[in-house]
Amino acid sequence: MSIPRKRAAMRTFVMGPTDRTPGARAPVSRPVDRDHALLEALRQGEPTAAERLVTTYGDQAYRLAIRITGNRADAEEVVQDALWTVVRKIGAFRGESAFASWLYRIVANGACQKIRRRRTDISLDEFTAMLDDDGSREADWSARVEDPALQSELRKALTAAIAALPIDYRAVIVLRDVEGLSTREVADTLGLTIVNVKTRTHRARLFLRSRLGRFMAHEAA
């Protein structure tokens, strides 16, 4: 048997017979979404699909919305609108990202719009000035974080510090550090580049660290 025929025979043995044109690429299969069954139920308009959506993602969606808006009524409205949007526009989901990421994007965008409509968000210039000012106050208070006597007040201080972030930074830090999403998942959810997510995460962390440093310095005084 000639060398080319041997190679062809070996390829058939390893890969199985194929009728593809030589040089043609095999189709790339996407991983099955973990919410495949829920997706199919929504697409088919099954009577229990909306209820399953609420059961599966209602609490997570509310947690994300309340952490971004800081307002219970706004968060509830955001979640209701987001879940209804998912039900109505399920045909628009193309599977280019995970279903959960698509849903989180709808929730996060709705929550951000709520904040912007209030017109209470600080500008980027104001945030930069605050960051520069806070940077000079930073001190090492990490050893006191585990103090049980400070836990409740420290949690309140952290919540207030997150609420003080500009909305674009707040959404990133909530998804990245509170919800525990990866940088890639945050980028997919918010429609940002990975570089943008890393930059906003870094600056938000600096701001939060400085704000908590103020709190700890006050407690130590």
Side-chain angles (χ1 to χ4, degrees):
M1 182 181 292
S2 66
I3 296 298
R5 288 186 179 180
K6 286 182 179 179
R7 289 175 179 169
M10 181 61 70
R11 185 165 56 248
T12 300
F13 175 75
V14 174
M15 301 177 60
T18 176
D19 58 0
R20 293 200 309 271
T21 303
R25 292 184 178 180
V28 178
S29 60
R30 291 174 179 165
V32 176
D33 196 295
R34 67 179 184 181
D35 293 305
H36 175 73
L38 175 59
L39 273 168
E40 287 305 306
L42 289 167
R43 285 169 174 154
Q44 297 299 323
E46 294 182 9
T48 61
E51 182 179 349
R52 288 170 61 185
L53 175 65
V54 173
T55 300
T56 304
Y57 283 107
D59 289 345
Q60 296 175 54
Y62 177 78
R63 187 172 63 236
L64 174 59
I66 190 68
R67 284 170 172 164
I68 293 177
T69 64
N71 181 285
R72 183 171 299 177
D74 283 348
E76 290 175 350
E77 185 175 346
V78 165
V79 172
Q80 289 176 2
D81 290 346
L83 296 181
W84 178 233
T85 296
V86 168
V87 173
R88 288 189 301 108
K89 297 186 176 181
I90 191 63
F93 177 66
R94 303 302 181 191
E96 296 173 354
S97 63
F99 173 73
S101 295
W102 183 63
L103 187 150
Y104 287 154
R105 175 182 291 191
I106 295 173
V107 174
N109 286 341
C112 290
Q113 288 173 10
K114 280 286 184 186
I115 298 297
R116 293 189 178 103
R117 281 199 290 267
R118 292 183 199 162
R119 297 184 179 179
T120 58
D121 196 29
I122 64 174
S123 69
L124 182 58
D125 289 340
E126 291 173 319
F127 173 64
T128 301
M130 293 166 66
L131 188 63
D132 292 340
D133 180 59
D134 285 347
S136 62
R137 303 172 185 268
E138 193 167 337
D140 185 9
W141 41 264
S142 56
R144 301 181 58 213
V145 171
E146 300 300 327
D147 185 349
L150 291 176
Q151 290 299 303
S152 178
E153 293 303 316
L154 185 60
R155 192 175 297 110
K156 291 178 182 178
L158 178 58
T159 299
I162 291 175
L165 284 166
I167 186 59
D168 291 333
Y169 287 80
R170 193 187 315 171
V172 168
I173 205 69
V174 166
L175 288 169
R176 183 71 181 90
D177 287 354
V178 181
E179 295 297 325
L181 272 63
S182 68
T183 300
R184 166 62 70 183
E185 289 171 330
V186 175
D188 290 343
T189 298
L190 298 178
L192 299 172
T193 66
I194 289 180
V195 172
N196 281 339
V197 171
K198 288 182 176 180
T199 299
R200 294 183 187 187
T201 300
H202 175 67
R203 300 191 74 185
R205 285 172 178 168
L206 287 178
F207 178 79
L208 296 179
R209 190 179 300 126
S210 296
R211 280 300 178 94
L212 292 181
R214 283 185 176 187
F215 166 77
M216 298 298 282
H218 176 75
E219 290 296 314

